Amino acid sequence: MGLIIAFSAIAVVNTLAMSTTDRSRELALLRLVGATRRQVLRMLRLETLTALIVSVFAGTGITLVTLSAFGRGMTGSALSYIPPAGYALVIAAVAALALVATSLPARLALRARPAEAVGARQ
């Protein structure tokens, strides 16, 4: 189970880092039209948190449906017990991972001068 979680974490971090890095030209364009670094980073954090909230609700819903079907077949009851502390810990770990995987590449992308980053070919 730990290996599956580790591979999933690597895939999520890799995807978020690549998508943020690929947007470096867009981020530079935002800087050219007047956005500050702080505003761009805040926008990226809000995007990440929005994706996280949607993912948590979708993942929880899918998991509850799957667990209720499994529970009904195994015990006759559709109610599953999910430890609240464990659930909160998983969400907190995923949120921290997602925010770090977005913030670090964004900070690196924002280091370049906006005019040079917009003019660079990708």
Side-chain angles (χ1 to χ4, degrees):
M1 182 72 137
L3 201 52
I4 291 171
I5 292 171
F7 283 134
S8 298
I10 290 169
V12 167
V13 167
N14 188 32
T15 302
L16 286 171
M18 286 186 339
S19 69
T20 303
T21 303
D22 284 344
R23 293 174 63 189
S24 61
R25 190 167 183 205
E26 173 190 333
L27 301 177
L29 189 58
L30 285 169
R31 295 269 297 140
L32 282 175
V33 297
T36 64
R37 277 186 157 154
R38 189 178 203 172
Q39 289 171 331
V40 172
L41 289 172
R42 186 180 324 134
M43 177 199 72
L44 289 171
R45 280 193 302 269
L46 287 174
E47 285 179 0
T48 302
L49 289 175
T50 302
L52 178 73
I53 290 169
V54 169
S55 300
V56 165
F57 282 121
T60 300
I62 291 168
T63 302
L64 287 177
V65 168
T66 304
L67 286 178
S68 66
F70 180 75
R72 183 171 293 285
M74 295 299 287
T75 64
S77 172
L79 296 176
S80 299
Y81 174 72
I82 301 168
Y87 181 72
L89 182 66
V90 168
I91 291 173
V94 170
L97 193 64
L99 288 171
V100 168
T102 303
S103 295
L104 290 179
R107 288 184 187 277
L108 291 174
L110 290 172
R111 277 188 175 174
R113 291 184 183 161
E116 291 174 5
V118 168
R121 298 270 185 228
Q122 290 188 8

